[in-house]
Amino acid sequence: MQIALLKATALIYLVGTVLYLYFILSLNERGARLGRMFLAIGAVLHGAAFVARYVAAGYTPITSLFESLSFSAFAIVCVFLAFELRYNLRVLGAFVAPLAFLFSLSTVFLPAEVRTLPPALDSNWLPVHVLLLFFGNAVFAVAFAAGIMYLLMERELKRKRMGAVFKRLPSLDVLDGINYRCLQIGFPLLTLGIITGSIWAEFAWGSYWSWDPKEVWSLITWFLYAALLHGRMTVGWRGRKAAILAIVGFCAILFTFLGVNLLLPGLHTYSNLSG
């Protein structure tokens, strides 16, 4: 049942993506309202699919690439809906919804069967560690979208010719504020995710840190966001520089999440193409 629900969810995310793109291209408010409604419906179905898979597997189903990509899409949609509810930034949907849809679509090409849980993953630390990291990544996905919008908006302002699409974008100050807010939320989640993973590693592998490729790239990602947070708080990094670093940071997250899994085998080999 969960596979059927996930396929239905991917289709609903596609409809939401199209509606948000229609909104930003046509300036029709109804597109944004319907897009939000479809993403909310998709999130509910996605949550139901997650619960159904949890019941079938008997563990938190975020251990294979199929499950990880699927849950990433769910987390991104949930975080986006929370930000839209708080800041009423509907235009974010045109940037975030396609990302959630692509993650959902990619699961179609991956093995979807429920696997026997490897002994190292059979731990109560599993849900704590992965939920912190995945929701942290989702918050940084919103910062990534805000960073792209910031750079596009800034370029149009410098050219002094605002196209119709750019009239939908928030001001540079608002986008920079969203970027900072995401950093304030996402960085603690990332930090706690790494710490809980380290504690879990001690129980599973007998060492808090093994310099596994996933651990190394997680640390690189953490340093990128730590530098951005430090720069904002001490020397006033904001605006264009903060937007670029938010984009670079999310690219590091994607490589840590996907690139390391597919290209750099190590202790974290559970989430590769075979799983």
Side-chain angles (χ1 to χ4, degrees):
M1 182 181 72
Q2 76 268 19
I3 301 301
L5 283 173
L6 290 175
K7 289 181 178 178
T9 299
L11 181 61
I12 291 173
Y13 287 164
L14 172 61
V15 175
T17 297
V18 171
L19 286 167
Y20 270 112
L21 292 176
Y22 170 70
F23 158 67
I24 199 171
L25 292 174
S26 69
L27 310 182
N28 189 323
E29 292 284 344
R30 193 179 179 201
R33 289 197 297 270
L34 289 173
R36 179 176 54 195
M37 182 183 75
F38 271 89
L39 285 192
I41 293 171
V44 171
L45 287 180
H46 210 153
F50 181 80
V51 171
R53 194 170 179 90
Y54 176 88
V55 172
Y59 58 81
T60 305
I62 317 178
T63 62
S64 66
L65 189 56
F66 170 85
E67 293 168 346
S68 298
L69 283 168
S70 176
F71 191 80
S72 289
F74 174 68
I76 288 171
V77 170
C78 289
V79 169
F80 161 68
L81 290 173
F83 266 81
E84 196 193 24
L85 186 65
R86 174 66 178 81
Y87 297 100
N88 194 29
L89 285 176
R90 290 158 296 184
V91 69
L92 266 174
F95 293 81
V96 175
L99 189 62
F101 167 65
L102 288 176
F103 277 15
S104 288
L105 179 65
S106 62
T107 64
V108 173
F109 306 102
L110 297 171
E113 68 274 11
V114 175
R115 305 179 310 168
T116 301
L117 193 66
L121 298 185
D122 189 10
S123 168
N124 291 329
W125 286 103
L126 171 63
V128 178
H129 172 61
V130 297
L131 290 178
L132 284 168
L133 286 179
F134 277 71
F135 275 103
N137 291 350
V139 173
F140 287 131
V142 173
F144 167 75
I148 290 177
M149 284 193 288
Y150 185 98
L151 296 181
L152 291 174
M153 188 69 170
E154 184 190 52
R155 187 188 64 176
E156 289 300 298
L157 289 172
K158 287 181 177 177
R159 289 182 175 180
K160 298 181 179 178
R161 57 173 190 184
M162 294 282 289
V165 170
F166 293 93
K167 293 178 182 177
R168 285 293 186 194
L169 298 185
S171 69
L172 293 180
D173 285 342
V174 170
L175 291 171
D176 189 56
I178 293 293
N179 195 336
Y180 190 30
R181 187 61 181 150
C182 288
L183 183 62
Q184 291 174 313
I185 298 172
F187 187 72
L189 292 175
L190 174 63
T191 303
L192 290 173
I194 292 175
I195 291 172
T196 54
S198 180
I199 297 171
W200 181 14
E202 165 64 15
F203 285 104
W205 300 319
S207 173
Y208 288 104
W209 197 264
S210 305
W211 296 106
D212 175 72
K214 178 77 79 176
E215 295 173 348
V216 172
W217 275 94
S218 295
L219 189 62
I220 291 171
T221 303
W222 186 88
F223 274 120
L224 282 171
Y225 284 111
L228 176 56
L229 182 61
H230 177 74
R232 272 192 174 271
M233 297 178 69
T234 58
V235 293
W237 282 3
R238 57 188 68 253
R240 179 180 179 80
K241 183 177 290 185
I244 291 173
L245 282 174
I247 294 170
V248 171
F250 189 67
C251 289
I253 284 177
L254 288 179
F255 185 78
T256 304
F257 175 33
L258 296 174
V260 170
N261 285 349
L262 301 177
L263 302 175
L264 302 174
L267 293 171
H268 293 77
T269 56
Y270 313 105
S271 299
N272 54 29
L273 285 176
S274 63

